[in-house]
Coordinates of all heavy atoms in Angstrom, one line a residue:
Q334 N 11.4 37.6 -18.3 CA 11.6 38.5 -19.5 C 13.0 38.3 -20.1 O 13.3 39.0 -21.1 CB 11.4 40.0 -19.0 CG 10.1 40.3 -18.4 CD 8.9 40.1 -19.4 OE1 9.0 40.5 -20.6 NE2 7.9 39.4 -18.9
D335 N 13.8 37.5 -19.5 CA 15.2 37.4 -20.0 C 15.6 36.0 -20.4 O 16.7 35.6 -20.3 CB 16.1 37.9 -18.8 CG 15.8 37.2 -17.5 OD1 14.8 36.4 -17.5 OD2 16.5 37.4 -16.5
E336 N 14.6 35.3 -21.0 CA 15.0 34.0 -21.6 C 15.8 34.3 -22.9 O 15.6 35.3 -23.6 CB 13.8 33.2 -22.0 CG 13.0 32.8 -20.8 CD 11.6 32.3 -21.2 OE1 11.0 32.8 -22.1 OE2 11.1 31.4 -20.5
S337 N 16.7 33.4 -23.3 CA 17.5 33.5 -24.5 C 16.9 32.7 -25.6 O 16.8 31.5 -25.5 CB 18.9 33.1 -24.2 OG 19.5 33.8 -23.1
C338 N 16.5 33.4 -26.7 CA 15.9 32.6 -27.8 C 17.0 31.9 -28.6 O 18.0 32.5 -28.9 CB 15.1 33.6 -28.7 SG 14.4 32.8 -30.1
V339 N 16.7 30.7 -28.9 CA 17.7 29.9 -29.7 C 17.3 29.9 -31.2 O 18.0 30.4 -32.0 CB 17.7 28.4 -29.2 CG1 18.7 27.6 -30.1 CG2 18.1 28.3 -27.8
V340 N 16.1 29.5 -31.5 CA 15.5 29.6 -32.8 C 14.0 29.8 -32.7 O 13.4 29.5 -31.7 CB 15.7 28.3 -33.6 CG1 17.2 28.1 -34.0 CG2 15.2 27.1 -32.9
R341 N 13.5 30.4 -33.8 CA 12.0 30.7 -33.8 C 11.5 30.3 -35.2 O 12.2 30.6 -36.2 CB 11.8 32.2 -33.6 CG 10.5 32.6 -33.2 CD 10.4 34.0 -32.7 NE 10.8 34.1 -31.3 CZ 11.3 35.2 -30.7 NH1 11.7 36.2 -31.5 NH2 11.6 35.2 -29.4
T342 N 10.4 29.5 -35.3 CA 9.8 29.2 -36.5 C 8.4 30.0 -36.5 O 8.1 30.7 -35.6 CB 9.5 27.7 -36.7 OG1 8.5 27.3 -35.9 CG2 10.8 26.9 -36.5
A343 N 7.6 29.8 -37.5 CA 6.3 30.4 -37.6 C 5.5 30.1 -36.4 O 4.8 30.9 -35.8 CB 5.6 30.1 -38.9
A344 N 5.5 28.8 -35.9 CA 4.6 28.4 -34.9 C 5.3 28.0 -33.6 O 4.6 27.8 -32.5 CB 3.8 27.2 -35.4
W345 N 6.6 27.9 -33.6 CA 7.3 27.4 -32.4 C 8.6 28.2 -32.1 O 9.1 28.9 -32.9 CB 7.8 25.9 -32.7 CG 6.8 24.9 -33.0 CD1 6.3 24.7 -34.2 CD2 6.1 24.1 -32.1 NE1 5.3 23.7 -34.1 CE2 5.2 23.3 -32.8 CE3 6.2 23.9 -30.7 CZ2 4.4 22.3 -32.2 CZ3 5.4 22.9 -30.1 CH2 4.5 22.2 -30.9
E346 N 9.0 28.1 -30.8 CA 10.3 28.7 -30.5 C 11.0 27.8 -29.5 O 10.4 27.1 -28.7 CB 10.1 30.1 -29.9 CG 9.4 30.2 -28.7 CD 9.0 31.6 -28.3 OE1 9.5 32.6 -28.9 OE2 8.3 31.8 -27.3
L347 N 12.4 27.9 -29.6 CA 13.2 27.2 -28.6 C 14.0 28.2 -27.8 O 14.6 29.1 -28.4 CB 14.3 26.3 -29.4 CG 15.2 25.4 -28.5 CD1 14.4 24.3 -27.8 CD2 16.3 24.8 -29.3
V348 N 13.9 28.1 -26.5 CA 14.6 29.1 -25.6 C 15.5 28.3 -24.6 O 15.2 27.2 -24.2 CB 13.6 30.0 -24.8 CG1 12.7 30.8 -25.8 CG2 12.8 29.2 -23.8
S349 N 16.5 29.1 -24.2 CA 17.3 28.7 -23.0 C 16.6 29.4 -21.8 O 16.5 30.6 -21.9 CB 18.7 29.1 -23.1 OG 19.5 28.3 -23.9
P350 N 16.1 28.7 -20.8 CA 15.4 29.4 -19.7 C 16.4 30.3 -19.0 O 17.6 30.2 -19.1 CB 14.9 28.2 -18.9 CG 15.8 27.1 -19.2 CD 16.2 27.2 -20.6
T351 N 15.8 31.1 -18.2 CA 16.5 32.1 -17.4 C 17.6 31.4 -16.5 O 18.7 31.9 -16.4 CB 15.6 32.9 -16.5 OG1 14.6 33.5 -17.3 CG2 16.3 34.0 -15.7
A352 N 17.2 30.4 -15.9 CA 18.1 29.7 -14.9 C 18.1 28.2 -15.2 O 17.5 27.4 -14.5 CB 17.7 30.0 -13.5
P353 N 18.8 27.8 -16.3 CA 18.8 26.3 -16.6 C 19.5 25.5 -15.5 O 20.6 26.0 -15.0 CB 19.5 26.3 -17.9 CG 20.3 27.5 -18.0 CD 19.6 28.6 -17.2
R354 N 19.0 24.3 -15.2 CA 19.6 23.5 -14.2 C 20.8 22.8 -14.7 O 21.8 22.5 -14.0 CB 18.6 22.5 -13.7 CG 17.5 23.1 -12.9 CD 16.2 22.2 -12.9 NE 15.6 22.3 -14.2 CZ 14.4 21.8 -14.5 NH1 13.7 21.2 -13.5 NH2 13.8 21.9 -15.7
F355 N 20.8 22.4 -16.0 CA 21.9 21.6 -16.6 C 22.3 22.3 -17.9 O 21.6 23.1 -18.5 CB 21.4 20.2 -17.0 CG 21.0 19.4 -15.8 CD1 19.7 19.3 -15.3 CD2 22.0 18.6 -15.1 CE1 19.4 18.6 -14.1 CE2 21.7 17.9 -14.0 CZ 20.4 17.8 -13.5
A356 N 23.6 22.0 -18.3 CA 24.2 22.6 -19.5 C 23.3 22.2 -20.7 O 23.0 21.0 -20.9 CB 25.6 22.1 -19.7
Y357 N 22.9 23.2 -21.5 CA 22.1 23.1 -22.7 C 20.7 22.6 -22.5 O 20.0 22.2 -23.4 CB 22.8 22.1 -23.7 CG 24.2 22.6 -24.0 CD1 25.3 21.8 -23.5 CD2 24.5 23.8 -24.7 CE1 26.6 22.3 -23.7 CE2 25.8 24.2 -24.9 CZ 26.8 23.5 -24.4 OH 28.1 24.0 -24.6
E358 N 20.2 22.7 -21.2 CA 18.8 22.6 -21.0 C 18.0 23.6 -21.9 O 18.4 24.8 -21.9 CB 18.4 22.8 -19.5 CG 17.0 22.8 -19.2 CD 16.6 23.0 -17.8 OE1 17.6 22.9 -16.9 OE2 15.5 23.2 -17.4
C359 N 17.0 23.2 -22.6 CA 16.2 24.1 -23.4 C 14.8 23.7 -23.4 O 14.4 22.6 -23.2 CB 16.8 24.2 -24.8 SG 17.1 22.6 -25.6
W360 N 13.9 24.7 -23.8 CA 12.5 24.5 -23.8 C 11.9 24.8 -25.1 O 12.2 25.9 -25.7 CB 11.8 25.4 -22.7 CG 12.3 25.2 -21.3 CD1 13.2 24.2 -20.9 CD2 11.9 25.9 -20.1 NE1 13.4 24.3 -19.5 CE2 12.6 25.3 -19.0 CE3 11.0 27.0 -19.9 CZ2 12.4 25.8 -17.7 CZ3 10.8 27.4 -18.6 CH2 11.5 26.8 -17.5
W361 N 11.1 23.9 -25.7 CA 10.5 24.1 -27.0 C 9.0 24.3 -26.8 O 8.3 23.5 -26.1 CB 10.8 22.8 -27.8 CG 10.2 22.7 -29.1 CD1 9.3 21.7 -29.5 CD2 10.5 23.4 -30.3 NE1 9.0 21.9 -30.9 CE2 9.8 22.9 -31.4 CE3 11.4 24.5 -30.5 CZ2 9.8 23.4 -32.7 CZ3 11.5 25.0 -31.8 CH2 10.7 24.5 -32.9
R362 N 8.5 25.4 -27.4 CA 7.1 25.7 -27.1 C 6.4 26.3 -28.3 O 7.0 27.0 -29.1 CB 7.0 26.6 -25.9 CG 7.6 27.9 -26.1 CD 7.7 28.7 -24.7 NE 8.4 30.0 -25.0 CZ 9.0 30.6 -24.0 NH1 9.1 30.2 -22.8 NH2 9.6 31.8 -24.3
P363 N 5.1 26.1 -28.3 CA 4.3 26.8 -29.4 C 4.3 28.3 -29.1 O 4.3 28.7 -27.9 CB 2.9 26.2 -29.3 CG 3.0 25.2 -28.2 CD 4.2 25.3 -27.5
R364 N 4.3 29.1 -30.1 CA 4.2 30.6 -29.9 C 2.8 31.0 -29.9 O 2.0 30.6 -30.7 CB 4.9 31.3 -31.1 CG 6.4 31.0 -31.2 CD 7.0 31.6 -32.4 NE 6.9 33.1 -32.4 CZ 7.1 33.8 -33.4 NH1 7.5 33.3 -34.6 NH2 7.0 35.1 -33.4
G365 N 2.5 31.8 -28.8 CA 1.2 32.5 -28.7 C 0.0 31.5 -28.8 O -1.0 31.9 -29.5
G366 N 0.1 30.4 -28.2 CA -1.1 29.5 -28.2 C -1.4 29.0 -29.6 O -2.6 28.6 -29.9
Q367 N -0.4 28.9 -30.5 CA -0.7 28.5 -31.9 C -0.9 27.0 -32.0 O -1.3 26.6 -33.1 CB 0.4 29.0 -32.8 CG 0.4 30.4 -33.0 CD 1.4 30.8 -34.2 OE1 1.2 30.3 -35.3 NE2 2.4 31.6 -33.9
M368 N -0.5 26.2 -31.0 CA -0.7 24.8 -31.1 C -1.4 24.2 -29.9 O -0.8 23.7 -29.0 CB 0.7 24.2 -31.3 CG 0.7 22.7 -31.5 SD -0.4 22.1 -32.8 CE 0.3 22.8 -34.2
P369 N -2.8 24.4 -29.9 CA -3.5 23.8 -28.8 C -3.3 22.3 -28.7 O -3.2 21.6 -29.8 CB -5.0 24.1 -29.2 CG -4.9 25.1 -30.2 CD -3.6 25.0 -30.9
L370 N -3.2 21.8 -27.5 CA -3.0 20.3 -27.3 C -4.1 19.5 -28.0 O -3.9 18.5 -28.6 CB -3.1 20.0 -25.8 CG -1.7 20.1 -25.1 CD1 -2.0 19.7 -23.6 CD2 -0.7 19.2 -25.7
E371 N -5.3 20.1 -28.1 CA -6.4 19.4 -28.7 C -6.2 19.2 -30.2 O -6.5 18.2 -30.8 CB -7.8 20.2 -28.6 CG -8.5 20.1 -27.3 CD -7.8 20.9 -26.1 OE1 -6.9 21.6 -26.4 OE2 -8.3 20.7 -25.0
A372 N -5.5 20.2 -30.8 CA -5.2 20.1 -32.3 C -4.1 19.0 -32.5 O -4.2 18.2 -33.3 CB -4.7 21.4 -32.8
L373 N -3.1 19.1 -31.6 CA -2.0 18.1 -31.6 C -2.5 16.7 -31.4 O -2.1 15.7 -32.1 CB -0.9 18.4 -30.6 CG 0.3 17.6 -30.6 CD1 1.1 17.9 -31.9 CD2 1.2 18.0 -29.4
A374 N -3.5 16.6 -30.6 CA -4.1 15.3 -30.3 C -4.8 14.7 -31.5 O -5.0 13.5 -31.7 CB -5.1 15.3 -29.1
E375 N -5.2 15.6 -32.5 CA -5.8 15.2 -33.7 C -4.8 15.0 -34.8 O -5.1 14.7 -36.0 CB -6.8 16.2 -34.2 CG -8.0 16.5 -33.3 CD -8.9 15.3 -33.1 OE1 -9.1 14.6 -34.1 OE2 -9.4 15.1 -32.0
G376 N -3.5 15.1 -34.4 CA -2.4 14.9 -35.4 C -1.9 16.2 -36.1 O -0.9 16.2 -36.8
E377 N -2.6 17.3 -35.8 CA -2.2 18.5 -36.5 C -0.9 19.0 -35.9 O -0.7 19.2 -34.7 CB -3.3 19.6 -36.2 CG -3.2 20.8 -37.1 CD -4.3 21.9 -36.6 OE1 -5.5 21.5 -36.5 OE2 -3.9 23.0 -36.5
G378 N 0.0 19.3 -36.8 CA 1.4 19.8 -36.4 C 2.3 18.7 -35.8 O 3.4 19.0 -35.4
A379 N 1.8 17.5 -35.7 CA 2.6 16.5 -35.0 C 3.8 16.1 -35.8 O 4.9 15.8 -35.2 CB 1.7 15.2 -34.7
G380 N 3.7 16.1 -37.1 CA 4.9 15.8 -37.9 C 6.0 16.8 -37.7 O 7.1 16.4 -37.6
E381 N 5.6 18.1 -37.7 CA 6.7 19.1 -37.5 C 7.2 19.0 -36.1 O 8.5 19.1 -35.9 CB 6.1 20.5 -37.7 CG 7.3 21.5 -37.7 CD 6.9 23.0 -37.6 OE1 5.7 23.3 -37.7 OE2 7.8 23.8 -37.4
L382 N 6.4 18.8 -35.1 CA 6.9 18.7 -33.7 C 7.9 17.5 -33.6 O 8.9 17.7 -33.1 CB 5.7 18.5 -32.8 CG 6.1 18.2 -31.3 CD1 7.0 19.2 -30.7 CD2 4.9 18.0 -30.4
A383 N 7.5 16.4 -34.3 CA 8.4 15.2 -34.2 C 9.8 15.5 -34.9 O 10.8 15.2 -34.3 CB 7.7 14.0 -34.9
R384 N 9.7 16.2 -36.0 CA 11.0 16.5 -36.7 C 11.8 17.4 -35.9 O 13.1 17.2 -35.8 CB 10.7 17.1 -38.1 CG 10.4 16.2 -39.2 CD 10.4 16.9 -40.6 NE 9.4 17.9 -40.7 CZ 8.1 17.8 -40.9 NH1 7.6 16.5 -41.1 NH2 7.3 18.8 -41.0
Q385 N 11.2 18.5 -35.4 CA 12.0 19.4 -34.6 C 12.5 18.8 -33.3 O 13.7 19.1 -32.9 CB 11.1 20.7 -34.3 CG 10.6 21.4 -35.5 CD 11.7 22.3 -36.2 OE1 12.9 22.2 -35.9 NE2 11.3 23.0 -37.2
L386 N 11.7 18.1 -32.6 CA 12.1 17.5 -31.4 C 13.3 16.5 -31.6 O 14.3 16.5 -30.8 CB 10.9 16.7 -30.8 CG 11.0 16.4 -29.3 CD1 11.2 17.6 -28.5 CD2 9.7 15.7 -28.9
R387 N 13.3 15.8 -32.7 CA 14.4 14.9 -33.0 C 15.7 15.7 -33.1 O 16.8 15.3 -32.6 CB 14.1 14.1 -34.3 CG 15.2 13.1 -34.7 CD 15.1 12.7 -36.1 NE 13.8 12.1 -36.4 CZ 13.5 10.8 -36.1 NH1 14.3 10.1 -35.4 NH2 12.3 10.3 -36.4
R388 N 15.6 16.8 -33.9 CA 16.8 17.7 -34.1 C 17.3 18.3 -32.8 O 18.5 18.4 -32.5 CB 16.5 18.8 -35.1 CG 16.2 18.3 -36.5 CD 15.9 19.4 -37.4 NE 17.1 20.2 -37.7 CZ 17.2 21.5 -37.6 NH1 16.2 22.3 -37.2 NH2 18.4 22.1 -37.8
I389 N 16.4 18.8 -32.0 CA 16.8 19.4 -30.7 C 17.4 18.4 -29.8 O 18.5 18.7 -29.2 CB 15.5 20.1 -30.1 CG1 15.0 21.2 -30.9 CG2 15.8 20.5 -28.7 CD1 13.6 21.6 -30.6
V390 N 16.8 17.3 -29.6 CA 17.4 16.2 -28.7 C 18.8 15.9 -29.2 O 19.8 15.8 -28.4 CB 16.5 15.0 -28.6 CG1 17.2 13.8 -28.0 CG2 15.2 15.4 -27.8
A391 N 19.0 15.7 -30.5 CA 20.3 15.3 -31.1 C 21.3 16.4 -30.8 O 22.5 16.2 -30.4 CB 20.2 15.1 -32.6
A392 N 20.9 17.7 -31.0 CA 21.8 18.8 -30.7 C 22.2 18.9 -29.3 O 23.4 19.1 -29.0 CB 21.1 20.1 -31.2
V393 N 21.3 18.7 -28.4 CA 21.6 18.7 -26.9 C 22.5 17.6 -26.6 O 23.5 17.8 -25.8 CB 20.2 18.7 -26.1 CG1 20.5 18.4 -24.7 CG2 19.5 20.0 -26.3
I394 N 22.3 16.4 -27.1 CA 23.2 15.3 -26.8 C 24.6 15.5 -27.3 O 25.6 15.3 -26.6 CB 22.6 14.0 -27.4 CG1 21.3 13.6 -26.6 CG2 23.6 12.8 -27.4 CD1 20.6 12.4 -27.2
N395 N 24.6 16.1 -28.5 CA 25.9 16.3 -29.2 C 26.7 17.4 -28.4 O 27.9 17.2 -28.2 CB 25.6 16.8 -30.6 CG 26.8 16.6 -31.5 OD1 27.7 15.7 -31.2 ND2 27.0 17.4 -32.5
L396 N 26.1 18.5 -28.1 CA 26.8 19.6 -27.4 C 27.2 19.2 -26.0 O 28.3 19.5 -25.5 CB 25.9 20.8 -27.3 CG 25.8 21.7 -28.6 CD1 24.8 22.8 -28.3 CD2 27.2 22.3 -28.8
G397 N 26.3 18.5 -25.3 CA 26.5 18.2 -23.9 C 27.4 16.9 -23.7 O 27.9 16.7 -22.6
G398 N 27.5 16.1 -24.7 CA 28.3 14.9 -24.6 C 27.7 13.9 -23.6 O 28.4 13.1 -23.0
C399 N 26.4 14.0 -23.5 CA 25.7 13.1 -22.5 C 24.4 12.6 -23.2 O 23.6 13.4 -23.6 CB 25.4 13.9 -21.3 SG 24.1 13.3 -20.3
D400 N 24.2 11.3 -23.2 CA 23.0 10.8 -23.9 C 21.9 10.4 -23.0 O 20.9 9.9 -23.4 CB 23.4 9.6 -24.8 CG 23.9 8.4 -24.0 OD1 23.9 8.5 -22.8 OD2 24.3 7.4 -24.7
A401 N 22.0 10.8 -21.7 CA 20.8 10.6 -20.8 C 20.1 11.9 -20.6 O 20.8 13.0 -20.5 CB 21.3 10.1 -19.4
Y402 N 18.8 11.9 -20.8 CA 18.1 13.2 -20.6 C 16.6 12.9 -20.2 O 16.2 11.8 -20.4 CB 18.1 14.0 -21.9 CG 17.4 13.4 -23.1 CD1 16.0 13.7 -23.3 CD2 18.0 12.4 -23.9 CE1 15.3 13.0 -24.3 CE2 17.3 11.8 -24.9 CZ 16.0 12.1 -25.1 OH 15.2 11.5 -26.1
N403 N 16.0 13.9 -19.8 CA 14.5 13.9 -19.5 C 13.8 14.8 -20.4 O 14.3 15.9 -20.7 CB 14.2 14.2 -18.1 CG 14.9 13.4 -17.0 OD1 15.9 13.8 -16.5 ND2 14.4 12.2 -16.8
L404 N 12.7 14.4 -20.9 CA 11.7 15.3 -21.6 C 10.6 15.5 -20.6 O 10.1 14.6 -20.0 CB 11.2 14.8 -22.9 CG 12.1 14.6 -24.1 CD1 11.3 14.1 -25.3 CD2 12.8 15.9 -24.4

Side-chain angles (χ1 to χ4, degrees):
Q334 301 298 316
D335 50 357
E336 294 167 323
S337 303
C338 181
V339 178
V340 288
R341 198 168 273 153
T342 71
W345 300 87
E346 63 188 355
L347 182 68
V348 300
S349 285
T351 305
R354 292 155 287 189
F355 293 93
Y357 306 109
E358 174 177 349
C359 51
W360 299 359
W361 177 242
R362 64 190 178 205
R364 294 176 60 192
Q367 287 193 60
M368 183 48 65
L370 273 179
E371 279 78 4
L373 188 63
E375 300 295 324
E377 192 185 314
E381 188 194 352
L382 173 56
R384 276 192 303 280
Q385 299 284 10
L386 199 53
R387 181 196 301 284
R388 294 182 69 230
I389 293 163
V390 165
V393 166
I394 289 174
N395 200 28
L396 278 175
C399 159
D400 63 3
Y402 67 92
N403 302 99
L404 291 185

